[in-house]
Amino acid sequence: MEPINFSANAVTSEEELREIVGTPHEHVIKKNVSLIDDQCKRFIEMSPLFFLSSSNAEGKCDVSPKGDFPSGVHVLNNKQLVIPDRPGNKRVDSIINILSNPHVGLLFLIPGLGEVLRINGRATIIKDPEILSSLSLKGKPPLLGIGVDVEECFIHCPRALYQSKVWNTDSWPDKADLPSSLEIFHAALRHNGVKLKK
């Protein structure tokens, strides 16, 4: 299929957008808060998985899954939290983005729960030994942390997770039918000119 020119028939203003989708209910607008209250803190402490979105100064975006033990993300107070940067593949895409653009979005999930918690704020890469020691895993503190000054926090409706049946094991595909991550990885290397040993 030939590439499509999406801009030929695009929505280009909020006014046009509202004509199509309408206006949200007052309660939907006013559910946003600019702090981590007790309910949001409890949600974060029970979440073993979240997604961190970031972009660089040019606007190029990245979303990175982050898995940890529940309460791995440390809530410092009602305006700040800290994310440990656990050892990984050393790409550090999110951290590099944050160095040029501090705006981040977080999406926290709890297994079996349809609602997700969304947090937006400004991030800073920190190396404070005292804070990092409080994020230790098996006695080892992370080398770096991502401190987030929370600007917006709200619960998101369960429609997407319920519709996708992501927590319903009966709807999961057979593992034999799943795409192979190794095959995808090797194909990407070949696309980029890397010769793999047979």
Side-chain angles (χ1 to χ4, degrees):
M1 183 177 182
E2 291 296 317
I4 295 170
N5 179 10
F6 288 127
S7 63
N9 191 20
V11 175
T12 58
S13 70
E14 184 173 348
E15 181 181 24
E16 183 182 4
L17 176 65
R18 289 299 173 199
E19 288 177 0
I20 297 170
V21 303
T23 304
H25 190 278
E26 179 187 19
H27 291 179
V28 175
I29 296 173
K30 291 189 175 180
K31 69 179 179 177
N32 296 27
V33 292
S34 58
L35 75 162
I36 304 170
D37 62 16
D38 290 342
Q39 289 75 26
C40 293
K41 182 175 184 288
R42 186 172 175 227
F43 196 109
I44 293 167
E45 289 175 344
M46 294 183 70
S47 172
L49 173 67
F50 68 96
F51 294 84
L52 171 64
S53 66
S54 62
S55 63
N56 64 16
E58 298 174 349
K60 293 181 179 178
C61 299
D62 177 76
V63 178
S64 178
K66 304 286 185 183
D68 214 328
F69 58 95
S71 75
V73 173
H74 187 48
V75 178
L76 293 177
N77 51 60
N78 67 2
K79 295 290 290 185
Q80 294 176 309
L81 57 81
V82 180
I83 301 163
D85 185 56
R86 304 291 182 203
N89 59 15
K90 301 182 182 180
R91 280 185 59 115
V92 292
D93 296 317
S94 301
I95 288 178
I96 291 172
N97 283 344
I98 290 166
L99 290 174
S100 65
N101 179 1
H103 298 284
V104 295
L106 305 169
L107 189 70
F108 290 91
L109 291 88
I110 297 175
L113 188 66
E115 291 81 3
V116 297
L117 183 70
R118 291 171 57 177
I119 292 180
N120 298 314
R122 296 175 67 88
T124 304
I125 309 306
I126 61 172
K127 54 182 181 179
D128 184 298
E130 185 176 348
I131 295 177
L132 295 179
S133 66
S134 71
L135 301 169
S136 294
L137 181 61
K138 297 180 180 178
K140 188 173 182 179
L143 297 175
L144 297 169
I146 302 172
V148 179
D149 290 292
V150 173
E151 296 176 333
E152 189 176 37
C153 184
F154 59 97
I155 200 75
H156 191 91
C157 79
R159 180 178 299 171
L161 271 67
Y162 283 165
Q163 288 290 100
S164 67
K165 300 181 181 179
V166 69
W167 304 129
N168 181 359
T169 57
D170 293 337
S171 72
W172 292 0
D174 189 297
K175 286 190 176 181
D177 297 329
L178 297 177
S180 163
S181 59
L182 185 61
E183 288 176 356
I184 294 171
F185 178 56
H186 284 174
L189 293 178
R190 287 192 291 272
H191 285 310
N192 287 313
V194 177
K195 293 184 178 179
L196 301 173
K197 295 180 180 178
K198 294 184 178 180

